[in-house]
């Protein structure tokens, strides 16, 4: 079960990276980990802005949409991870946290890839 979920997540992250690269973003890192604090799916740069990207991939709507799965608790963890990444990388400039929501049909067909800029508003910078 975990392998299928991991494959689904990796496929969604690849689609998100391709979407962002097509929009002119530079992908700086994938699956950046901070010990036990968690993982940032994608780190990208959009002009002068660092973009922390959470990718959510859902097959079907049984458990809600991909966007709805970014709970307030997840948003708080993302904001903390963004701070940790910026400290580790020495990033002093502007940043934001985006979400890329990948929606698939229950049989695995791609329905939509949606990029939501500035999706996490609690980020301090």
């Amino acid at each position: 079960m975990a392998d299928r979920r991991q494959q689904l997540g990796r496929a969604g992250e690849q689609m998100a990276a391709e979407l962002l690269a097509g929009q002119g973003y530079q992908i700086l890192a994938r699956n950046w980990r901070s010990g036990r604090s968690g993982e940032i799916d994608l780190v990208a740069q959009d002009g002068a802005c660092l973009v922390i990207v959470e990718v959510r991939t859902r097959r079907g709507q049984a458990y809600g949409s991909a966007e709805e799965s970014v709970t307030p608790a997840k948003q708080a963890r993302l904001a903390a991870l963004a701070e940790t990444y910026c400290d580790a990388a020495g990033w002093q400039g502007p940043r934001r946290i985006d979400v890329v929501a990948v929606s698939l049909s229950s049989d695995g067909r791609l329905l939509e890839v949606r990029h939501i800029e500035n999706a996490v508003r609690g980020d301090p910078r």
Side-chain angles (χ1 to χ4, degrees):
M1 181 71 136
D3 286 340
R4 285 179 61 172
R5 201 171 39 229
Q6 287 174 341
Q7 287 177 339
L8 182 66
R10 278 193 294 271
E13 288 171 7
Q14 182 61 35
M15 286 184 242
E18 290 171 6
L19 172 76
L20 295 172
Q23 293 175 341
Y25 289 58
Q26 179 183 5
I27 305 300
L28 303 176
R30 292 178 185 226
N31 305 113
W32 184 85
R33 292 197 67 75
S34 173
R36 293 182 177 204
S37 299
E39 178 181 282
I40 297 172
D41 295 328
L42 298 170
V43 179
Q45 193 164 348
D46 179 21
C49 186
L50 184 75
V51 184
I52 304 299
V53 182
E54 175 67 10
V55 180
R56 303 304 275 190
T57 306
R58 288 290 179 268
R59 184 183 300 229
Q61 294 285 316
Y63 298 103
S65 71
E67 299 95 87
E68 291 170 333
S69 71
V70 185
T71 64
K74 179 64 177 180
Q75 291 178 32
R77 282 193 301 275
L78 285 168
L81 277 168
E83 188 71 28
T84 301
Y85 179 87
C86 288
D87 288 347
W91 182 264
Q92 298 290 319
R95 70 171 187 228
R96 68 175 194 261
I97 301 173
D98 293 1
V99 170
V100 174
V102 180
S103 299
L104 305 172
S105 67
S106 57
D107 63 355
R109 286 179 294 113
L110 178 64
L111 298 174
E112 180 181 31
V113 180
R114 189 164 161 236
H115 178 201
I116 306 158
E117 289 186 12
N118 222 11
V120 176
R121 301 287 178 166
D123 191 33
R125 282 197 244 176

